[in-house]
Structures are given as C-alpha cells and as structure tokens.
C-alpha cells in the first residue's frame, strides 16, 4: 500500500506564500540547475540540480493521486487540467465548480479531508498520495492520515504569509529523524510521522 505524503516548498521562516498568495523566490529551485525532470504539463518545466531531481523523482514517480484544497486549485487554475506530478487530483471543497465534469475530467471534488484522502487512495491503487496544500496537510495530520511530512526549504525569509504549519487541533506532532537531500536553492527534508 502506498504512503500519504505532504509536500510544500517553504521559506526558512515557515511560509508557503506571502500574504497575497505569491510564492516569490520559493520556486526558484525548480529552475536552478541543468537536469530536466519531465512532467506531463507542457506549461511547467523543471530544470533542477541533481539533488533536486532526486527529490522530485522521489515525490512524483510513485504518485498515484494528489490532494489539494480548493483555494490552491483556483490559484493554479486547476493546473490546466494536468498537474505536474502527472497524477489525478482530488480537491477538498464544499462546492465543486459547475463545469467540473467537462472542464476538469481528471479532477475529483470531495467534501472533507478524510473523504478526500480516502478517495485519493482509491484512485492511487497501491501508489502514493501526495497532499499539496498547507491547510489540508494540517487537517490530515490532525486526523492521523499523513505518513511523511516533506518540505523543500528555500533560503529566504518572508517575515509573514501563509504558514505550512499552524496550530494543530491535536497539539504537537512528533516526527522521526529526516531523510535529507541538500540541493541548490533548496534543502529537501522528508520526516516520517511518528505513530
């Protein structure tokens, strides 16, 4: 059975975007090298260093489904119907877009985090599920649904913005020691969740 990962790129001070939902320098590492990591979305390119390529492959090669929040889905315009991870997307929302079936045929809209992760697991079969949303990650951690917390830390301080982690309803969460990949413009960390 696949694992459930969360992954976000984050500033050193813990933010995944500034207060206006702009990512600023956070995604510079995706263009910081000579290694092209292919993806099915023609509008997105990844030219990273060797370490970044390793980190990306570990997160995407076995990804069978991706879970995102409605806000991120709207900001990314549904990734044009094809997420760069190359997997179907499950969006957590109380209300699907009216044109969901025709405009987003590879996207499933589900009400509730637990239901979304369950549906993503079904879609993924035995492959991994990646949560790519800060708020959804926080809720999934509270529900005990995350196997590994992954973060690519970028050397920038935003000072304020949208945090990857905020107050957890269950209180603090213990993680195991990280797997570490040092890349150019990003430090990639994977923390197994302690059960």
């Amino acid at each position: 059975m696949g694992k459930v990962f969360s992954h976000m790129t984050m500033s050193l001070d813990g933010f995944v975007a500034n207060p206006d939902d702009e990512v600023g320098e956070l995604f510079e590492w995706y263009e910081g090298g000579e290694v092209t990591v292919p993806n099915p979305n023609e509008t997105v390119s990844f030219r990273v260093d060797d370490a970044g390529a390793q980190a990306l492959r570990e997160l995407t090669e076995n990804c069978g489904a991706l879970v995102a929040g409605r806000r991120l889905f709207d900001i990314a315009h549904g990734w044009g119907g094809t997420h760069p991870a190359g997997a179907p997307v499950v969006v957590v929302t109380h209300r699907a877009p009216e044109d969901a079936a025709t405009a987003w045929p590879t996207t499933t809209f589900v009400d509730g985090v637990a239901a979304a992760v369950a549906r993503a697991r079904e879609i993924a079969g035995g492959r991994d599920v990646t949560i790519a949303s800060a708020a959804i990650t926080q809720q999934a951690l509270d529900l005990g649904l995350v196997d590994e917390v992954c973060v690519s830390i970028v050397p920038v301080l935003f000072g304020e913005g949208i945090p990857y982690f905020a107050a957890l309803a269950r209180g603090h969460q213990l993680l195991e020691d990280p797997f570490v990949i040092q890349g150019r413009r990003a430090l990639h960390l994977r923390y197994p969740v302690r059960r």
Side-chain angles (χ1 to χ4, degrees):
M1 180 186 239
K3 292 182 178 180
V4 176
F5 296 97
S6 70
H7 178 259
M8 296 293 287
T9 297
M10 177 179 87
S11 66
L12 183 59
D13 54 348
F15 300 106
V16 298
N18 71 22
D20 298 323
D21 280 321
E22 297 295 328
V23 295
E25 301 86 356
L26 292 182
F27 287 177
E28 285 182 0
W29 74 272
Y30 286 119
E31 295 295 326
E34 304 77 34
V35 180
T36 299
V37 178
N39 80 81
N41 187 320
E42 295 176 2
T43 65
V44 176
S45 64
F46 299 127
R47 289 189 45 82
V48 296
D49 63 319
D50 288 329
Q54 177 186 345
L56 274 176
R57 287 185 187 113
E58 287 179 4
L59 287 168
T60 61
E61 283 183 347
N62 196 44
C63 183
L66 186 120
V67 178
R70 176 65 187 267
R71 184 166 145 241
L72 177 59
F73 176 83
D74 289 344
I75 290 168
H77 305 289
W79 301 277
T82 306
H83 191 279
V89 177
V90 177
V91 176
V92 180
T93 183
H94 296 298
R95 204 175 97 236
E98 291 181 17
D99 61 348
T102 55
W104 315 107
T106 61
T107 302
T108 304
F109 297 88
V110 177
D111 191 0
V113 173
V117 172
R119 181 67 182 120
R121 280 187 174 279
E122 289 173 18
I123 292 168
R127 299 177 74 192
D128 297 329
V129 170
T130 300
I131 300 171
S133 171
I136 304 305
T137 294
Q138 293 164 19
Q139 293 173 59
L141 280 166
D142 283 333
L143 294 168
L145 300 174
V146 179
D147 296 309
E148 284 190 28
V149 173
C150 306
V151 58
S152 297
I153 299 177
V154 174
V156 62
L157 299 170
F158 274 13
E160 62 179 341
I162 298 161
Y164 187 9
F165 306 104
L168 297 173
R170 286 190 337 182
H172 72 280
Q173 171 71 59
L174 292 175
L175 307 173
E176 299 295 348
D177 291 335
F179 300 99
V180 179
I181 299 174
Q182 173 63 60
R184 185 178 307 145
R185 301 304 301 157
L187 176 65
H188 309 283
L189 304 167
R190 291 176 54 177
Y191 293 92
V193 174
R194 187 177 289 181
R195 301 282 181 211

